[in-house]
Every structure is written in structure tokens, then in C-alpha cells.
Amino acid sequence: MRILLVEDEEKLAQSLKKALETENFAVDLALDGKKGYDLAFGEEYDLIILDLGLPLMDGLQIAKEVRAEKVTTPILMLTARDTLKDKIAGLNTGADDYLIKPFEFEELLARIRALLRRGQKEPETVYGVDNLTLDPTSKIVKRADKEISLSAKEYALLEYLLRNKGQIISKEQLIDHVWDMELDPFSKVIDVYIGYVRNKIDKAFPDQKPLIRTIKGLGYKIG
Ligand code: CA
């Protein structure tokens, strides 16, 4: 899942980006409101974490414009200002949740997971298909009760496919939702990572049916 983080306190922003990446999220960082606004409209995100007080354009204004353009990406607002008025203003302009600084990273993570579940047609706490399961809380992936060890990107790729099981997912969608904007869109990295994930969840289980299908010219599908 790919997150846009708009936060002007650089130290906090960098440490949040790093912490979220270790949780297998792809994170693009904007250090001012203008850049945050441009990215929110120029790229695809699964969630936006938006600081309220920002240089060039504040968080309330960004949320308002994003919602005015009918972008439904969940927005989690961050603020140092612990007043009811700010909270109401934030929620009225289209933020989906609110977190007051300073906060524990675990709290942020719990809110992020709740918001990402909310966007699902059938919210699930554990994703799965056939005898493969992925638990986003513990990050444990199992097939036929055997635990499978995946790298961060392999995990993120599998999670995205499972969250969209039964649907054909294009390479462009994987680039948009699993990688951050550093990825060259013409690179072969998607095929390479699909290969890695296949080795671990399909080829390592030769007596089970393969789960990841290549839909020629369109993308990939699980389930
Ligand atoms: Ca700020």
C-alpha cells in the first residue's frame, strides 16, 4: 500500500517514512503543502497522512481541495493543536481521522490499518485465498500451515494482490500502489518481484495449485 506523507517537520517526517517502510508501506514524502497538493493530485495513493500546519498551503486547504475533486483516498490528519475547533474543522473538510501530536507510532499504525480496512468492500482482518493467508497485523504469511518468509516488497506485492483478489491487477497499478515514486516505470522490477513471490508461494508448494496467474497483456490475478 502506498502512502503520501505531508509533514514539514523534517526529522519527524523522515523517521515516520522510515518506520512506515519497515511496516512494508511505500511512502512518498512532501515537506510542504504545495508539494503535498501536487502529489495528491498527480499520483495514486491508498492513504494520505496530512499535517495541519504546513508552509505554502495548510492541511485543511489541501483536504478541502482533494475532496472537492472527488478524490476519496482516506486522509489522516496530524496536528499539534489539541482543540475541538481544529478537530471539527479537519473532519468537516474531509479528513477521515485525526491524530494529535505527539503520538506513539503504534497508534498511528492502528489508525492507518483501520482507515485502509474501511475502504474495502468486505473488510477482512486476515487476507487469504485457497490455503494461503496473510495477516496484516502480525505480517505472517502461511500456505498449508507453513510459514513463508517474504521481503518487505514481496510482502507488499502479495498483500496488494490479496486485497484485490479475483481482480486483474495491471503492472501500472502495482507500480502505483506498491512502489514509491522513485521507481522507473519502465523497469522490469515488477516481473522480477512477481517471480520472487511465485517462487515462495507457488513453486515452493509443487503439490498445490498455483495461485498467481499471469493474464497476458493485462497483468496478474490471484484467486
Ligand atoms: Ca507542521
mmCIF file of all heavy atoms in Angstrom, residues 7-9 51 53-54 101, ligand 1:
data_model
loop_
_atom_site.group_PDB
_atom_site.id
_atom_site.type_symbol
_atom_site.label_atom_id
_atom_site.label_comp_id
_atom_site.label_asym_id
_atom_site.label_seq_id
_atom_site.Cartn_x
_atom_site.Cartn_y
_atom_site.Cartn_z
ATOM 1 N N GLU A 7 4.340 16.435 5.688
ATOM 2 C CA GLU A 7 4.753 16.843 7.038
ATOM 3 C C GLU A 7 5.994 17.716 6.898
ATOM 4 O O GLU A 7 6.948 17.340 6.231
ATOM 5 C CB GLU A 7 5.043 15.565 7.863
ATOM 6 C CG GLU A 7 5.771 15.777 9.176
ATOM 7 C CD GLU A 7 4.996 16.628 10.158
ATOM 8 O OE1 GLU A 7 3.937 16.172 10.619
ATOM 9 O OE2 GLU A 7 5.444 17.751 10.446
ATOM 10 N N ASP A 8 5.971 18.890 7.507
ATOM 11 C CA ASP A 8 7.084 19.819 7.318
ATOM 12 C C ASP A 8 8.184 19.714 8.368
ATOM 13 O O ASP A 8 9.262 20.284 8.185
ATOM 14 C CB ASP A 8 6.570 21.260 7.237
ATOM 15 C CG ASP A 8 5.879 21.691 8.520
ATOM 16 O OD1 ASP A 8 5.071 20.886 9.043
ATOM 17 O OD2 ASP A 8 6.142 22.797 8.999
ATOM 18 N N GLU A 9 7.913 19.018 9.477
ATOM 19 C CA GLU A 9 8.998 18.818 10.452
ATOM 20 C C GLU A 9 9.864 17.693 9.918
ATOM 21 O O GLU A 9 9.504 16.514 10.024
ATOM 22 C CB GLU A 9 8.430 18.432 11.815
ATOM 23 C CG GLU A 9 7.818 19.590 12.577
ATOM 24 C CD GLU A 9 7.043 19.068 13.784
ATOM 25 O OE1 GLU A 9 7.617 18.308 14.576
ATOM 26 O OE2 GLU A 9 5.851 19.403 13.887
ATOM 27 N N ASP A 51 -0.301 16.721 7.685
ATOM 28 C CA ASP A 51 -0.106 17.612 8.817
ATOM 29 C C ASP A 51 -1.007 18.833 8.614
ATOM 30 O O ASP A 51 -1.276 19.243 7.487
ATOM 31 C CB ASP A 51 1.375 18.018 8.886
ATOM 32 C CG ASP A 51 1.694 18.794 10.151
ATOM 33 O OD1 ASP A 51 1.016 18.572 11.177
ATOM 34 O OD2 ASP A 51 2.619 19.619 10.109
ATOM 35 N N GLY A 53 -0.610 22.148 10.091
ATOM 36 C CA GLY A 53 0.154 23.376 9.874
ATOM 37 C C GLY A 53 1.320 23.117 8.933
ATOM 38 O O GLY A 53 2.254 22.408 9.271
ATOM 39 N N LEU A 54 1.238 23.661 7.718
ATOM 40 C CA LEU A 54 2.273 23.410 6.704
ATOM 41 C C LEU A 54 2.630 24.703 5.996
ATOM 42 O O LEU A 54 1.764 25.561 5.811
ATOM 43 C CB LEU A 54 1.726 22.464 5.628
ATOM 44 C CG LEU A 54 1.467 21.008 5.983
ATOM 45 C CD1 LEU A 54 0.591 20.365 4.903
ATOM 46 C CD2 LEU A 54 2.767 20.241 6.127
ATOM 47 N N LYS A 101 -0.454 15.347 17.888
ATOM 48 C CA LYS A 101 0.981 15.201 18.193
ATOM 49 C C LYS A 101 1.254 15.606 19.631
ATOM 50 O O LYS A 101 0.642 16.557 20.091
ATOM 51 C CB LYS A 101 1.801 16.108 17.277
ATOM 52 C CG LYS A 101 1.800 15.746 15.822
ATOM 53 C CD LYS A 101 2.711 16.769 15.143
ATOM 54 C CE LYS A 101 2.631 16.742 13.665
ATOM 55 N NZ LYS A 101 3.360 17.870 13.071
HETATM 56 CA CA CA B 1 3.636 21.321 10.772
#
